[in-house]
Amino acid sequence: MNREIFNKAEERLASRHIADALRLYCEAERLGYDPDSCAAGRWRCHMLAGQFSLAWRESEAIAHRGSPDPHRYWDGRPFDGRDVLIRCLHGLGDTIQFIRYVPIVRQHARSVAVEAQPRLKQLLANSGLADCVLTWGDPEPPWDQQVEVVELPRIFRAGVDAIPAAVPYLSSGADDRFLSSASPKLRIGIVWSAGDYNPARSLPLPQMARLFSIRDISFVSLQAGPARFDLEPWRDRIPNLHDENACVLRDAQNLEHLDLLITVDTMMAHLAGALAKPVWTLLPFACDWRWMLDREDSPWYPSMRLFRQPRPGDWASVIDRVYAALLAYGPIPPAA
């Protein structure tokens, strides 16, 4: 019975009936279902609702029960006067989103090193956030405290109105070798596939192609992975700038020379936001917790605008709204 109630809570969460989901998670836990699973469900509910303080209570309850988590390293002590190593063990987007907290750690710690994914090492080193940046397999500097980057929002008790959102906090060091142009057209990047992690995040490129008919816009693709070959019917009009062999720094440099990025929920959305580039993020109905509910903006990224599916799978209405928004976007000076 408790498993059935938990599954019903998951269904209500997926359909965005948050109050019902919260009630059912509590009921499942009362009847003996795994408390950490129920707390994790309530955590997602609270984060979607923008009630971050309630979510952190669930995090604390899980921590106090002592359940082992290989991706949690913080020992609960302050960072003051310590040599801190921040490890980045989740996705590239997670690292880009939460690396904003490194300067805050640096205000307290004696030194801060970041161990990042190989593709992010050069970008983070360029950005000067930490005393040193290394990647997996590099020699580690001396440290006496470690933390995983996704732990930082909880440690600093992020709230909707207390997110460190000063942008840009990453620096590409872009120069004119990348997409320099005197064209008066708007230069807009597109990304339509989020890969296999969550297929619901991906948009079929033929649906996005309606945008290509708008005059005075020069589209370029920043799509990574096998989905980049979807562009074949439009390859004479829309170049793909993403280099599969390059690190994320190259994507950042390309972004710096665009006027706007239109993307599904991928690392590129976070990268554009962290660089303070205008970015329109297209979200599935059951979007990730970080985008919350109903909002058209993001407290994480001031330059971001959100376009949400009104119902599961409905990308057509999303593209309708994007199309109208592009018509109203108006000419702006070409990027430097």
Side-chain angles (χ1 to χ4, degrees):
M1 180 64 177
N2 55 12
R3 174 72 187 189
E4 181 180 336
I5 293 174
F6 178 83
N7 289 342
K8 191 174 294 184
E10 295 278 277
E11 292 170 4
R12 298 305 280 170
L13 173 57
S15 62
R16 295 308 186 245
H17 292 88
I18 300 300
D20 286 351
L22 282 168
R23 177 180 57 80
L24 289 165
Y25 283 125
C26 290
E27 179 69 5
E29 183 175 349
R30 187 183 67 81
L31 293 174
Y33 198 76
D34 176 55
D36 287 352
S37 297
C38 295
R42 291 192 298 266
W43 186 94
R44 296 196 304 273
C45 289
H46 293 316
M47 294 300 280
L48 281 165
Q51 298 172 326
F52 289 12
S53 61
L54 297 180
W56 304 137
R57 292 183 194 175
E58 301 291 352
S59 299
E60 296 297 339
I62 293 173
H64 288 157
R65 281 190 286 268
S67 302
D69 186 332
H71 290 165
R72 297 291 185 271
Y73 291 107
W74 185 50
D75 57 16
R77 296 180 297 169
F79 297 125
D80 300 82
R82 300 184 180 277
D83 297 310
V84 179
L85 175 60
I86 298 174
R87 300 189 187 271
C88 304
L89 301 177
H90 289 73
L92 299 179
D94 294 311
T95 297
I96 291 170
Q97 181 174 4
F98 302 127
I99 205 73
R100 71 183 69 217
Y101 285 94
V102 171
I104 301 177
V105 177
R106 211 173 181 184
Q107 292 174 9
H108 300 274
R110 181 167 51 215
S111 69
V112 178
V114 172
E115 181 192 52
Q117 297 91 336
R119 291 184 59 211
L120 283 177
K121 178 181 177 181
Q122 191 173 357
L123 175 64
L124 298 187
N126 273 18
S127 301
L129 296 174
D131 295 293
C132 75
V133 178
L134 59 148
T135 193
W136 307 322
D138 290 345
E140 293 182 0
W143 57 269
D144 52 27
Q145 192 173 30
Q146 59 180 334
V147 61
E148 214 283 332
V149 71
V150 303
E151 297 182 273
L152 295 176
R154 175 173 69 91
I155 292 170
F156 290 108
R157 289 299 190 268
V160 173
D161 298 322
I163 291 171
V167 292
Y169 56 84
L170 296 182
S171 173
S172 70
D175 60 44
D176 291 338
R177 293 178 299 159
F178 298 94
L179 202 66
S180 59
S181 171
S183 171
K185 291 185 176 182
L186 288 174
R187 288 174 288 183
I188 296 180
I190 54 172
V191 178
W192 59 90
S193 175
D196 297 330
Y197 171 70
N198 183 353
R201 295 183 184 182
S202 297
L203 164 67
L205 182 57
Q207 288 190 259
M208 181 181 276
R210 183 186 172 204
L211 306 178
F212 304 161
S213 65
I214 301 176
R215 296 179 56 188
D216 297 325
I217 292 179
S218 176
F219 287 98
V220 298
S221 166
L222 293 173
Q223 179 64 56
R228 69 189 187 279
F229 297 114
D230 297 345
L231 199 62
E232 183 64 20
W234 298 274
R235 64 186 176 89
D236 293 335
R237 298 169 48 198
I238 303 175
N240 191 312
L241 302 183
H242 177 77
D243 184 344
E244 292 290 308
N245 297 314
C247 65
V248 174
L249 180 64
R250 177 64 63 86
D251 290 320
Q253 290 170 329
N254 284 329
L255 276 171
E256 293 283 19
H257 293 276
L258 297 178
D259 297 305
L260 172 68
L261 175 69
I262 299 175
T263 179
V264 293
D265 184 2
T266 66
M267 177 274 293
M268 292 297 297
H270 295 279
L271 181 60
L275 293 168
K277 297 298 295 184
V279 52
W280 295 357
T281 304
L282 316 183
L283 298 175
F285 177 77
C287 66
D288 192 75
W289 62 264
R290 71 196 75 211
W291 309 123
M292 294 181 279
L293 298 173
D294 303 324
R295 298 180 68 124
E296 294 184 357
D297 67 331
S298 170
W300 297 97
Y301 301 113
S303 65
M304 182 176 289
R305 182 175 176 182
L306 304 177
F307 292 79
R308 300 172 180 271
Q309 285 183 348
R311 61 192 68 83
D314 182 5
W315 286 119
S317 63
V318 172
I319 294 301
D320 285 345
R321 295 199 303 276
V322 172
Y323 186 92
L326 279 177
L327 292 180
Y329 200 55
I332 62 176

